[in-house]
Amino acid sequence: MAPNSLCNQIQTTVSRFIITGVLGISASGLYAAASKIPNLLNVLQQIVQQAWQLSAFQEFKSSGLKHFYDVIWRVYHALMSIGSALVIALSPFIAKVLMQRQFYSVWPLISILVLAFYLGAINNFLGTIYQAYMRTKPLLIATIVGTVSCLAFTAMFVHSWGILAAALGVLVGSLTIFVIRVIDIRRLMRVDMRPFPTAITMGLLAAQSVVTLIQCDHYLSLSLICLLSIAGAQCYELKPLINLMFGRRKYTA
């Protein structure tokens, strides 16, 4: 677990070194400013992750383990996807509050970094399953591959794309880890990750990130439509759980 955490720090640190070496320290400062809001999301996600991790270990030997993971996935994914879409939709307004004038110009990068955060949150969910089964070696392997992908992408395109290359590099690294873990996790447990609704949510979130990044015509309206669509899809996914909760309350009353 220690090398796995170290790789994440190396990815962030080396990316900053690449930006500084190629584009200068001012560009590194701009990238750090764009990373501020996603970093705040990471703090909140870690709180949820720790609670989920504790529950995963407590329920590991229970007979309904797979059902437990399936239910937690729906709730966890709804929180992460709706939260990410909300932050992207509000990013220009949040940036005005949290960023100074000279840093405000990089606010569109927030959408890419939030999309990377979303994939990272899913990776952390899957990583908890590896920890519960005490199979931490695949965690390290996937993280190393993702880190190398991130750094290689950043180094290749930083000359032509500037700090956008670093943001996309983080996204590429997170996506690489996601693909590896989704495929490999089947050896341990076939969690019902609801492929069709999850794919729709990912597509909407990616579309929201792109329209926000390029600031096309009516991008705020398009971003809001994506947010509402994601919220609607996730509420539909949680409908059975909501009905069950209210059904139990009614029954016990």
Side-chain angles (χ1 to χ4, degrees), residues 56-152:
F57 280 105
Q58 290 176 341
E59 297 290 333
F60 180 66
K61 295 183 179 180
S62 65
S63 57
L65 180 64
K66 183 182 182 304
H67 176 70
F68 171 75
Y69 276 71
D70 292 345
V71 171
I72 293 297
W73 163 254
R74 289 197 184 195
V75 177
Y76 183 88
H77 184 244
L79 289 173
M80 294 301 111
S81 58
I82 295 175
S84 298
L86 180 62
V87 170
I88 292 175
L90 297 177
S91 58
F93 310 105
I94 298 175
K96 285 184 179 180
V97 176
L98 297 182
M99 291 182 177
Q100 298 178 2
R101 290 184 180 179
Q102 61 269 35
F103 297 114
Y104 180 74
S105 61
V106 297
W107 76 262
L109 294 182
I110 294 173
S111 62
I112 299 298
L113 294 172
V114 170
L115 182 59
F117 156 81
Y118 162 78
L119 291 173
I122 297 178
N123 295 338
N124 289 337
F125 176 89
L126 298 175
T128 302
I129 300 176
Y130 285 105
Q131 295 175 37
Y133 278 90
M134 298 185 181
R135 303 285 183 86
T136 54
K137 184 177 179 181
L139 280 177
L140 177 60
I141 293 174
T143 303
I144 290 176
V145 175
T147 300
V148 172
S149 301
C150 169
L151 298 179

